[in-house]
């Protein structure tokens, strides 16, 4: 099974198994053009997003809406384009679940 280690400051994050499938989905969906697991590119690092929303019961629904419809202003001036209907609702939910799982 393939694994990847991302460094997050003094910590490290091991991504393997289903998380690798989620990264493949993110790549196919175009997410990695602006995002990375462990560092800011155009958009925020997903680990930072996961940390910001850790324990927020409404985060999943809010982020699904943001990915579907697009948005701007939360992480800086660069807007995030809408990904629906280009990416299916099912895959958007998988991607958001993956991002939120990084907030450990």
């Amino acid at each position: 099974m393939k694994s990847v280690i991302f460094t997050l400051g003094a910590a490290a994050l091991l991504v393997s198994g289903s998380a690798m499938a989620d990264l493949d989905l993110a790549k196919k969906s175009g997410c990695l053009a602006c995002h990375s697991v462990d560092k800011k590119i155009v958009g925020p690092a997903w680990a930072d997003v996961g940390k910001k929303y850790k324990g927020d019961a409404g985060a999943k629904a809010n982020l699904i809406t943001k990915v579907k419809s697009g948005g701007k202003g939360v992480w800086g001036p660069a807007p995030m384009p809408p990904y629906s209907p280009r990416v299916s609702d099912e895959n958007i939910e998988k991607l958001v679940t993956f991002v939120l799982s990084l907030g450990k």
Side-chain angles (χ1 to χ4, degrees):
M1 179 183 309
K2 183 177 175 186
S3 298
V4 176
I5 297 175
F6 294 96
T7 56
L8 303 168
L13 174 69
L14 175 65
V15 175
S16 63
S18 66
M20 288 302 297
D22 293 330
L23 280 174
D24 287 341
L25 176 59
K27 183 177 182 179
K28 290 175 187 171
S29 299
C31 305
L32 299 180
C34 296
H35 295 280
S36 169
V37 169
D38 57 345
K39 65 181 183 260
K40 178 179 177 14
I41 300 177
V42 174
W46 285 335
D48 292 340
V49 175
K51 287 176 193 172
K52 178 176 180 151
Y53 294 107
K54 183 178 181 179
D56 180 341
K60 184 174 180 177
N62 290 336
L63 290 175
I64 287 171
T65 299
K66 181 157 289 195
V67 174
K68 286 181 181 182
S69 304
K72 66 179 181 174
V74 175
W75 295 93
M80 181 170 155
Y83 275 80
S84 183
R86 184 169 38 127
V87 178
S88 72
D89 289 353
E90 178 184 351
N91 284 341
I92 289 172
E93 183 174 352
K94 285 179 187 177
L95 290 165
V96 168
T97 299
F98 169 64
V99 170
L100 290 173
S101 77
L102 299 172
K104 299 186 187 258

